[in-house]
Amino acid sequence: MSTAVVVGRRRPGSGFSFWTLVTILALGIFAFLLLYPVLSLFINSLVSGGTSDSPWWEPYVNLFTRKLYYESFLNSLILAASATVGALVLGTPLAYFVSRLQIPGKIVVRSAIVLTFVSPPFIGAYAWVVMFGNTGLVRVGLESLGLTVPPIYGWLGTILVLTLQGVPYVFLYLSSGLKTVDQSVEDAAINLGYTRGRAAFNAVFPLLKPALSTSALLVFVTAFADIGTPMVIGQNLRVFPRLVYQSFTSEVNSDFRLAASLALVMVVVTVGALLFQRWYSRRHSYGQDTVRGLVIVPARRGPLAAATLYVYVILALACVPLVVVVISSFLRFSGATITGEWTLENYAAAPGLLSSLTNTLLTSTLATALCVVFGTLIGYIVARRSDRIAGVIDVLSMVPFAVAGVVFGISFSLGFGGAPFYLAGTITILALAYFIRRLPFSVRAASSQLAQMGRQTEEASVNLGVPPGRTFLKITLPMLVPAVASGTLLTWATVVKEFNATIILYGATNRTMSIEIFRAISAGQFQYASAIGTILILLALVPIVLLFAVTGKDEEILV
């Protein structure tokens, strides 16, 4: 029986089948929550308003003629490209060493990488300021020893932080990709006279191009769309997302048309990167079967020690900011200076902690529940249908990965903030934005699991007269429980720390924890930002730990 029959089969006289209705629902969700906001963005880019009645094409002309515009755009491209290259350079050996060598303390390494993956990005940036800013603890300490260290602000610090934020993506996807390579590939290369190093470079890594391109895409899009990190550590560094944000939110010179036009430029860049990555990945995908995975490579003491040192140095660079955040949350501050006295007052006095915790839990729960229900159903359509509609849904389900958070925020504000919905500043608009933004996690989790499952049991059930919907609930869904759990917890872990879309959409009464952290940092109250940030890290990390414990798998479950 063909795939299309398995999905679309219906009983005589039953009208539309269950999966036909799900397909229509999936198209409706993407039309309403993805295409409609982007269409609103496009329409607003053509409507006169803001500070002038100039032609609609003026923002695009300014992008190439006015220094503020093209400098900000080029800065963001350079930052994103630099962070992508840096993350690939640092993360590729890290993943290879941890996967192929007997590195001591692997469980510590893997856990720490996951910790950096789920932590709020910009609070780590401020931790570097605390350590290496103008009056940073480490910088002042080194200067007392006669060692001069430049402040971390500007290009150097921004690229460093964005690179370290991107390393977990490379590690996670490359580690997962290495598990799909059969040992016979490396053995064949060695039998042809290659050294193990040349075999890895010439035989193994070419098979990992899809995994490398996926991680590169995520690092590039994340870095290109980041608002918080350049604002915290970049000082006067002009970046494109900040220009878009200020155009939309400025109380003096706000210009919705300008913001919409510039946001559309970001859509073109990020979706273009997604389409290029999909083309590149398909071109370099070899569809190999793994009978025996890559084994641990025996290494001499010297090379193993060097690899171990490399792993732990990169790990320290990635994790030290988080350690600073957690420890400083328990230290008393005198102004901006750490006194070294232990206290719990930071948690008690942190402004907006309880209300932001409540808002974060509410919006994250709503968004995650929606992602689980609809992501699982859409994942089934993607995996089981083999027609153009399924292909369209598959592409649409990937687009939220590429659309920047600030673009989501502006497009949702323009599309749903006013008439006829009037959702501006509500919990509902936050939950819906989080839902469509993180839906790909649940879709990919379900579709990947279904791609590894046969259809015989489902076909037999349908042929025996059981309706497709009931077949899915009684037979398919129980087999998808691990994938559903993975999608649920990963969605939660990423939703609770969402910032870029939230900073556009939040209202005065529904600030989330990420917003309160940013407000505290902006006010120079790092002790309060650390207290809220520590709780937020726990909220994001605990589900991942539970996921590892329940499934018995390591970080590969995240991809």
Side-chain angles (χ1 to χ4, degrees):
M1 183 177 294
S2 68
T3 305
V5 174
V6 174
V7 175
R9 183 185 179 96
R10 60 185 177 92
R11 300 174 68 181
S14 61
F16 281 122
S17 74
F18 174 76
W19 291 113
T20 301
L21 293 174
V22 171
T23 301
I24 295 173
L25 178 63
L27 291 172
I29 288 173
F30 288 119
F32 184 60
L33 294 179
L34 185 62
L35 300 182
Y36 167 68
V38 174
L39 179 61
S40 299
L41 199 68
F42 176 74
I43 292 174
N44 276 272
S45 72
L46 304 178
V47 176
S48 296
T51 58
S52 69
D53 293 325
S54 56
W56 64 266
W57 58 82
E58 184 180 63
Y60 305 106
V61 174
N62 290 338
L63 182 63
F64 299 98
T65 58
R66 291 186 58 183
K67 184 177 181 181
L68 172 64
Y69 289 73
Y70 66 72
E71 183 181 78
S72 300
F73 184 70
L74 291 176
N75 285 348
S76 290
L77 286 179
I78 293 171
L79 285 175
S82 301
T84 302
V85 172
L88 289 172
V89 170
L90 296 180
T92 300
L94 179 69
Y96 187 81
F97 291 157
V98 174
S99 299
R100 301 299 314 278
L101 301 178
Q102 197 60 50
I103 300 294
K106 281 190 178 184
I107 185 64
V108 175
V109 174
R110 297 183 189 277
S111 300
I113 289 294
V114 171
L115 179 62
T116 61
F117 177 77
V118 301
S119 64
F122 55 85
I123 195 172
Y126 196 76
W128 282 101
V129 173
V130 171
M131 292 186 292
F132 291 97
N134 291 327
T135 58
L137 297 175
V138 177
R139 183 170 178 269
V140 171
L142 292 175
E143 287 182 344
S144 66
L145 299 176
L147 300 175
T148 302
V149 179
I152 199 168
Y153 302 106
W155 280 96
L156 175 63
T158 306
I159 292 176
L160 172 64
V161 173
L162 291 176
T163 296
L164 294 177
Q165 290 172 7
V167 167
Y169 289 110
V170 179
F171 178 86
L172 292 170
Y173 278 88
L174 194 58
S175 296
S176 179
L178 283 166
K179 294 179 182 180
T180 67
V181 179
D182 195 85
Q183 180 61 42
S184 62
V185 174
E186 185 179 63
D187 292 342
I190 292 175
N191 290 335
L192 291 174
Y194 284 79
T195 63
R196 193 173 295 277
R198 289 188 61 199
F201 187 79
N202 292 297
V204 174
F205 278 105
L207 300 177
L208 299 175
K209 288 181 179 179
L212 286 170
S213 66
T214 301
S215 61
L217 169 70
L218 293 176
V219 176
F220 178 86
V221 171
T222 302
F224 181 75
D226 198 317
I227 297 178
T229 299
M231 289 177 70
V232 169
I233 203 171
Q235 285 195 328
N236 297 321
L237 181 61
R238 296 172 175 174
V239 292
F240 203 64
R242 186 173 183 180
L243 179 62
V244 177
Y245 168 73
Q246 291 175 337
S247 299
F248 189 78
T249 60
S250 174
E251 295 181 359
V252 179
N253 296 313
S254 63
D255 189 335
F256 289 177
R257 188 187 63 177
L258 174 62
S261 301
L262 299 181
L264 282 176
V265 173
M266 293 188 68
V267 171
V268 171
V269 172
T270 54
V271 174
L274 168 64
L275 295 177
F276 175 80
Q277 186 276 328
R278 286 176 64 85
W279 168 82
Y280 182 86
S281 181
R282 285 195 300 267
R283 186 175 180 181
H284 294 88
S285 180
Y286 301 100
Q288 59 175 338
D289 294 323
T290 305
V291 177
R292 185 168 68 100
L294 294 172
V295 299
I296 297 296
V297 177
R300 296 190 302 273
R301 181 174 299 178
L304 180 61
T308 302
L309 178 63
Y310 176 87
V311 168
Y312 279 94
V313 167
I314 300 299
L315 199 64
L317 289 173
C319 290
V320 162
L322 299 180
V323 175
V324 171
V325 169
V326 175
I327 292 178
S328 61
S329 71
F330 295 101
L331 294 176
R332 191 182 303 278
F333 279 61
S334 176
T337 305
I338 299 177
T339 64
E341 181 183 348
W342 295 95
T343 182
L344 293 176
E345 291 181 2
N346 296 333
Y347 289 89
L353 173 57
L354 292 180
S355 61
S356 65
L357 175 59
T358 302
N359 291 329
T360 298
L361 291 174
L362 179 57
T363 53
S364 300
T365 301
L366 289 173
T368 301
L370 291 172
C371 285
V372 171
V373 174
F374 293 106
T376 304
L377 293 173
I378 294 172
Y380 189 94
I381 295 295
V382 170
R384 290 295 193 247
R385 289 191 70 137
S386 57
D387 54 18
R388 290 184 179 179
I389 293 179
V392 169
I393 293 175
D394 187 24
V395 172
L396 289 174
S397 70
M398 286 294 294
V399 170
F401 264 137
V403 178
V406 65
V407 174
F408 260 114
I410 293 175
S411 61
F412 263 65
S413 181
L414 294 174
F416 301 111
F421 302 103
Y422 299 105
L423 297 178
T426 65
I427 289 291
T428 302
I429 198 171
L430 287 174
L432 290 177
Y434 295 166
F435 160 57
I436 194 66
R437 184 155 161 72
R438 301 304 178 185
L439 181 61
F441 288 120
S442 295
V443 173
R444 286 288 161 261
S447 61
S448 298
Q449 180 69 28
L450 284 164
Q452 302 174 21
M453 293 167 47
R455 304 182 178 91
Q456 295 83 357
T457 306
E458 297 171 66
E459 293 175 352
S461 176
V462 172
N463 289 333
L464 290 173
V466 180
R470 187 176 300 173
T471 295
F472 175 78
L473 290 174
K474 298 293 185 181
I475 294 177
T476 310
L477 188 58
M479 294 187 291
L480 286 177
V481 168
V484 172
S486 171
T488 301
L489 298 178
L490 184 55
T491 299
W492 170 273
T494 53
V495 165
V496 294
K497 66 172 186 173
E498 174 63 41
F499 172 75
N500 288 340
T502 311
I503 197 172
I504 299 290
L505 296 172
Y506 81 94
T509 60
N510 55 30
R511 290 194 288 262
T512 62
M513 298 182 76
S514 62
I515 295 298
E516 290 295 357
I517 292 171
F518 190 76
R519 284 165 56 87
I521 288 175
S522 301
Q525 300 171 326
F526 185 61
Q527 67 273 34
Y528 300 143
S530 298
I532 303 174
T534 299
I535 296 176
L536 185 56
I537 290 171
L538 289 176
L539 284 180
L541 183 62
V542 168
I544 301 298
V545 174
L546 291 176
L547 181 62
F548 290 169
V550 172
T551 62
K553 297 182 179 181
D554 51 25
E555 79 286 338
E556 68 180 271
I557 198 71
L558 296 179
V559 296

